Amino acid sequence: MLAWLVHTPAMPSFVHGVSMSPIFLRAASLAAVFLPAVAAAESISFDQAISLAVQRSEAARAAQAAMQGSVHSIQAAGQLPDPMLRAGIDNLPVTGSDRFSGTRESMTMKRIGVSQEWLSADKRAAREGVARARADRDAVQKDIAEAEARLQVSMAYVDAWFATEALKLTTQTEHHLHEELNAAKSRIAAATGNSAEALQLLSAKGIAEDESEEVRQQQSAAMVSLQRWIGILPDALNKPPAFPVPEEWDYVARYPAVAGLKSDVEIARQSANVAAKERSPNWTWEVSYGQRTGYSDLVSVGVSIPLQIAPSQRQDRETSAKLAMVDKAEADLTEGMRAAMADYRTLTSDAARLQQRIERYQGSVVTPARQRTSAALAAYRSNQLALTAVFEARHAEVEAQRKLLALQRDLVRTQAQLNLKPIAQGGAQ
């Protein structure tokens, strides 16, 4: 069941101190963590499935790599630009008898120097602020990817568990029909039954077997979906836990889209701050040394200052453009928060209605169906009711229980979305 974790022939591995493939090492580490817990029991718990899905999520790993790259860029953003090495020949004759001679003309000079663009501490701090905001956004993207993995594996887990429970019901129906069909054959042999009853039960048995195959197909699809997230095909699943319903403010604050939009707002604000700092130009300092043949060497010192002849048409417009992006990001955030609130209220409303339907269905449908089955069995034992009537009562009870399972599954899925769709506690805020 865990062979893929501990044996991957296609991946390179080496011994005697030589490093192995990073992918192989990740798989081996997962096996070391989860192999004892999973192999020791035939079932896998909900929390184990969540942990496996998060650790196996390539989207989360990609976001983690992006975040690490952004963190490295923070320090670089606060540095001065690289200095420039400048070299050349000044005043080289190109006509006359001295043309292309570097020694005959007194003004000819070989020059080498260094120039440095100077950014103020405020500008460097502003650029560092943009890099830090982007790193924070990448950290949020990592938390979003992990939240998505948790949500998707929880949906697959819930579907697989309830499909297994539904299969138990249909298998139970098959078992009952097998017993009833044998009883009908015995009655025919004893001349106390009729062939029509046996044929009805035989047809019902075929229907029940087909229903079991349908549910088995649904269970197989759900288990494959679960395997896509956890990497293994478990033999059995534990019952999903109860999911607490978060408060609306907490749900909205940790909603993935809202968290991402908050990061976008901060990036836009920091970018606007950088644009505002560009109102003051960057100076460039230069020092050079000139060598002349037969004459004194020279040293030159200079500074270059950009002339902002139309700041209202260039720098101010750039700042205005960045400020407009701040307004856009804030508007997107407000819209995202409204969508998160609507999503929360829809899910809580659905959960409340599903809970009411479950309670009502249990009292008005499931309980009477169970009582009908008991009454039919009692009447059959006293020879007051045909065996097919007992099957009809049992089948109606099983169908009622399957419908109840479907309602309970929908309720658990809704509660799981309320609990797991937001970023996990302790993630990026």
Side-chain angles (χ1 to χ4, degrees):
M1 185 169 62
L2 297 175
W4 74 274
L5 284 175
V6 296
H7 178 62
T8 309
M11 296 179 182
S13 60
F14 305 91
V15 294
H16 304 301
V18 182
S19 61
M20 295 187 294
S21 165
I23 298 177
F24 181 86
L25 291 175
R26 289 186 69 233
S29 65
L30 285 176
V33 173
F34 292 100
L35 182 58
V38 177
E42 294 182 352
S43 62
I44 184 171
S45 70
F46 182 83
D47 290 339
Q48 284 178 322
I50 291 289
S51 297
L52 280 170
V54 170
Q55 293 202 29
R56 292 188 72 251
S57 173
E58 292 300 320
R61 191 165 73 92
Q64 172 74 22
M67 182 187 72
Q68 291 175 348
S70 298
V71 168
H72 289 309
S73 69
I74 295 176
Q75 186 175 2
Q79 304 299 311
L80 287 172
D82 290 333
M84 297 288 292
L85 176 65
R86 299 182 181 276
I89 299 179
D90 295 336
N91 303 317
L92 180 69
V94 294
T95 60
S97 60
D98 295 338
R99 65 180 179 274
F100 302 120
S101 173
T103 59
R104 298 175 186 174
E105 172 58 51
S106 62
M107 295 184 64
T108 301
M109 179 175 62
K110 301 173 184 177
R111 173 178 46 82
I112 185 170
V114 176
S115 66
Q116 172 69 64
E117 184 183 9
W118 180 260
L119 274 71
S120 66
D122 288 346
K123 281 189 176 183
R124 283 179 280 151
R127 295 184 180 187
E128 189 174 334
V130 173
R132 184 173 290 104
R134 288 174 177 163
D136 291 341
R137 180 186 60 185
D138 289 337
V140 170
Q141 293 300 321
K142 172 183 173 292
D143 293 329
I144 290 174
E146 291 181 351
E148 179 66 15
R150 291 187 184 94
L151 178 62
Q152 294 302 324
V153 74
S154 69
M155 296 293 101
Y157 191 100
V158 168
D159 287 344
W161 188 84
F162 276 98
T164 302
E165 293 300 302
L167 182 59
K168 291 178 183 178
L169 288 176
T170 56
T171 303
Q172 183 182 13
T173 301
E174 284 188 65
H175 177 70
H176 287 157
L177 275 169
H178 180 73
E179 293 178 343
E180 291 161 3
L181 184 59
N182 288 338
K185 290 178 180 179
S186 298
R187 292 177 64 178
I188 291 175
T192 58
N194 58 75
S195 59
E197 182 181 57
L199 289 173
Q200 281 183 301
L201 290 174
L202 187 61
S203 175
K205 183 174 181 293
I207 294 173
E209 290 173 348
D210 183 69
E211 289 177 348
S212 291
E213 285 302 315
E214 180 184 4
V215 175
R216 193 171 285 109
Q217 181 180 351
Q218 294 171 357
Q219 182 207 31
S220 177
M223 293 296 282
V224 168
S225 178
L226 178 61
Q227 184 184 20
R228 174 256 186 271
W229 291 101
I230 65 176
I232 60 176
L233 193 61
D235 297 329
L237 302 175
N238 294 344
K239 184 177 180 179
F243 297 102
V245 178
E247 297 293 336
E248 181 176 354
W249 64 268
D250 186 43
Y251 181 90
V252 172
R254 295 188 294 115
Y255 196 76
V258 171
L261 291 170
K262 285 180 180 178
S263 300
D264 291 342
V265 170
E266 183 61 23
I267 291 175
R269 287 174 178 168
Q270 293 296 335
S271 298
N273 186 34
V274 170
K277 298 295 183 184
E278 294 300 327
R279 195 64 165 73
S280 58
N282 301 331
W283 292 24
T284 301
W285 306 94
E286 181 177 0
V287 177
S288 61
Y289 183 88
Q291 184 184 51
R292 298 189 299 172
T293 303
Y295 299 93
S296 299
D297 294 343
L298 303 175
V299 173
S300 300
V301 178
V303 61
S304 300
I305 305 174
L307 299 178
Q308 298 181 351
I309 58 176
S312 61
Q313 300 299 319
R314 189 184 300 275
Q315 286 80 14
D316 290 351
R317 287 186 179 274
E318 183 67 21
T319 302
S320 297
K322 296 298 183 181
L323 290 173
M325 296 305 295
V326 174
D327 291 341
K328 176 186 180 300
E330 290 176 344
D332 289 341
L333 175 59
T334 301
E335 192 65 30
M337 294 179 69
R338 291 175 182 173
M341 286 188 287
D343 189 57
Y344 176 85
R345 292 169 185 174
T346 298
L347 290 173
T348 51
S349 175
D350 289 346
R353 292 182 182 277
L354 283 167
Q355 186 64 53
Q356 293 173 359
R357 289 179 63 189
I358 289 171
E359 294 173 358
R360 184 168 56 248
Y361 196 82
Q362 282 178 324
S364 62
V365 179
V366 176
T367 300
R370 189 178 297 114
Q371 293 170 347
R372 177 190 172 189
T373 300
S374 299
L377 282 171
Y380 171 73
R381 291 190 183 104
S382 60
N383 293 323
Q384 296 177 0
L385 197 66
L387 190 58
T388 53
V390 176
F391 160 72
E392 290 175 357
R394 278 179 170 169
H395 189 265
E397 180 185 354
V398 169
E399 286 300 307
Q401 290 175 338
R402 286 181 61 185
K403 177 64 179 295
L404 179 63
L405 272 179
L407 291 173
Q408 291 172 336
R409 179 202 61 200
D410 292 344
L411 174 60
V412 174
R413 283 176 60 92
T414 302
Q415 293 172 338
Q417 289 183 72
L418 280 167
N419 187 262
L420 296 173
K421 184 178 289 186
I423 293 174
Q425 293 283 5
Q429 300 297 319

